[in-house]
Amino acid sequence: MSAVEPPPAAAGGTGAGSEPPPGAGGPGPRALARQRRRRAAAAFWRAYAANPAGVAGLAGLLLFILVALSAPLFVDTADLSVTRAPGSPYQPPSAEYPLGTDNFGRSVLDLVVWGSRVSLTVGFLATLVSVALGALIGVVAGHFGGWTGTVLMRVTDWFLVLPTLVLAIALATVLDRSVFTVILAIGITAWPTTARLVRAQTLAVEARPYIERARALGGGHWHIMGRHVLPNVMPLVLAQTTLMVASSIIAESTLAFLGLGDPTTISWGGILQDARNAGAVSSGVWWYLLPPGLAIALVALAFTLCGRALEGVLNPRLRERR
């Protein structure tokens, strides 16, 4: 007898019990995930672009970042030295010095451009410390509750009622005068607001049915917080971050203006402090005071506009009110 041949479907490998070859059944899971992320990013940008104030704030923010990153390309650090200043003291704005010179003969434009590096760096890093600490405490307090949440919230309330600037001044006075001290002083005093917002959002997420299913399936505390709670509170954390950067830059400028920053670095607040010490206010040297103050106001406004636009995009209730 001849051997029995397999059915055509089985021989061709296209039967119901076999898998199709790669690429024959459409995109794989990773490709589908990438497509979903691209669609979500496109929808996010369309919603953000619908806010003109947010677009203007983003454009201004990108301009400040570009100026700070490219500062070494067109600012000679030797011209920033008080002993090798190229100009004469207190020269008014001119073609050679668009923003005039300071009491040492340094270009105010060069000082403002170079100072953006320190001010933006301190603003970003201090915000990172503050938001990370606040998000961690808020998620843990909201998830565990009980005495753990009570203790964490009482500590948060204690920090919240203390004047942030006074506490930052105390820390900056006790520690060494450096950029790291300013970052630490701002970061560990500005986190309570983020902690309370994240805790409230965590409690709302914890009340959803899929959290109960995750617990019933054996999900532990860190699995639930890391895989379910944290992704749902990240939009709030992102919006809070953009709003906190503006506050951090203003706080850094205030500490530097009060003489608690690093005297060896140039920042916007340090320029204002030097102008005050040099008597620029009483002498009427407005070009020494106006540029750094205006830079602080504009960058704070840019971050605030971006934060409000992000909050409107990520919060469905705010989108419905438009």
Side-chain angles (χ1 to χ4, degrees), residues 136-231:
L136 176 63
I137 293 177
V139 170
V140 172
H143 174 78
F144 287 100
W147 67 269
T148 303
T150 301
V151 170
L152 291 176
M153 284 299 100
R154 296 297 78 77
V155 173
T156 302
D157 293 339
W158 184 77
F159 273 92
L160 198 60
V161 297
L162 288 177
T164 303
L165 181 59
V166 174
L167 186 57
I169 291 174
L171 290 175
T173 304
V174 173
L175 301 176
D176 296 334
R177 294 175 63 183
S178 63
V179 175
F180 175 76
T181 298
V182 174
I183 294 172
L184 187 63
I186 298 173
I188 65 176
T189 56
W191 59 268
T193 303
T194 303
R196 295 196 67 87
L197 290 174
V198 172
R199 176 181 176 271
Q201 184 69 13
T202 301
L203 292 175
V205 173
E206 292 272 349
R208 296 175 182 174
Y210 66 86
I211 299 294
E212 294 295 332
R213 289 195 293 267
R215 290 197 180 97
L217 293 174
H221 294 294
W222 298 111
H223 172 82
I224 293 175
M225 287 190 294
R227 297 294 299 273
H228 299 292
V229 176
L230 190 58

Side-chain angles (χ1 to χ4, degrees):
M1 296 178 62
S2 60
V4 179
E5 297 181 357
T14 58
S18 61
E19 297 181 359
R30 293 184 179 178
L32 289 175
R34 286 193 295 268
Q35 291 177 4
R36 286 195 296 267
R37 284 194 290 268
R38 284 195 295 267
R39 287 195 297 266
F44 172 83
W45 172 245
R46 285 195 299 269
Y48 187 93
N51 189 326
V55 174
L58 181 60
L61 177 59
L62 293 177
L63 178 62
F64 275 105
I65 294 176
L66 179 62
V67 168
L69 293 177
S70 60
L73 299 178
F74 51 87
V75 175
D76 188 0
T77 55
D79 294 340
L80 301 177
S81 174
V82 296
T83 59
R84 300 177 59 184
S88 301
Y90 293 143
Q91 284 185 252
S94 61
E96 185 178 4
Y97 299 104
L99 297 181
T101 61
D102 66 351
N103 55 319
F104 297 107
R106 298 176 297 178
S107 172
V108 176
L109 177 61
D110 291 349
L111 292 175
V112 172
V113 170
W114 195 264
S116 65
R117 296 168 59 85
V118 174
S119 295
L120 290 177
T121 300
V122 171
F124 279 116
L125 293 182
T127 300
L128 181 63
V129 173
S130 173
V131 171
L133 183 60
L136 176 63
I137 293 177
V139 170
V140 172
H143 174 78
F144 287 100
W147 67 269
T148 303
T150 301
V151 170
L152 291 176
M153 284 299 100
R154 296 297 78 77
V155 173
T156 302
D157 293 339
W158 184 77
F159 273 92
L160 198 60
V161 297
L162 288 177
T164 303
L165 181 59
V166 174
L167 186 57
I169 291 174
L171 290 175
T173 304
V174 173
L175 301 176
D176 296 334
R177 294 175 63 183
S178 63
V179 175
F180 175 76
T181 298
V182 174
I183 294 172
L184 187 63
I186 298 173
I188 65 176
T189 56
W191 59 268
T193 303
T194 303
R196 295 196 67 87
L197 290 174
V198 172
R199 176 181 176 271
Q201 184 69 13
T202 301
L203 292 175
V205 173
E206 292 272 349
R208 296 175 182 174
Y210 66 86
I211 299 294
E212 294 295 332
R213 289 195 293 267
R215 290 197 180 97
L217 293 174
H221 294 294
W222 298 111
H223 172 82
I224 293 175
M225 287 190 294
R227 297 294 299 273
H228 299 292
V229 176
L230 190 58
N232 282 279
V233 303
M234 281 305 295
L236 177 64
V237 172
L238 180 61
Q240 182 68 12
T241 299
T242 56
L243 296 175
M244 283 295 299
V245 172
S247 301
S248 299
I249 291 176
I250 295 175
E252 183 277 331
S253 302
T254 303
L255 293 177
F257 179 76
L258 295 175
L260 299 175
D262 188 355
T264 62
T265 60
I266 298 174
S267 67
W268 292 335
I271 298 172
L272 290 175
Q273 199 259 350
D274 292 340
R276 180 177 64 88
N277 292 339
V281 178
S282 58
S283 301
V285 187
W286 58 268
W287 59 84
Y288 196 3
L289 292 166
L290 183 60
L294 189 60
I296 295 171
L298 289 178
V299 74
L301 178 61
F303 275 109
T304 302
L305 292 177
C306 290
R308 295 302 182 189
L310 281 176
E311 194 176 23
V313 172
L314 299 174
N315 192 337
R317 295 180 179 178
L318 294 180
R319 288 201 304 265
E320 293 174 357
R321 295 176 184 177
R322 290 183 181 179

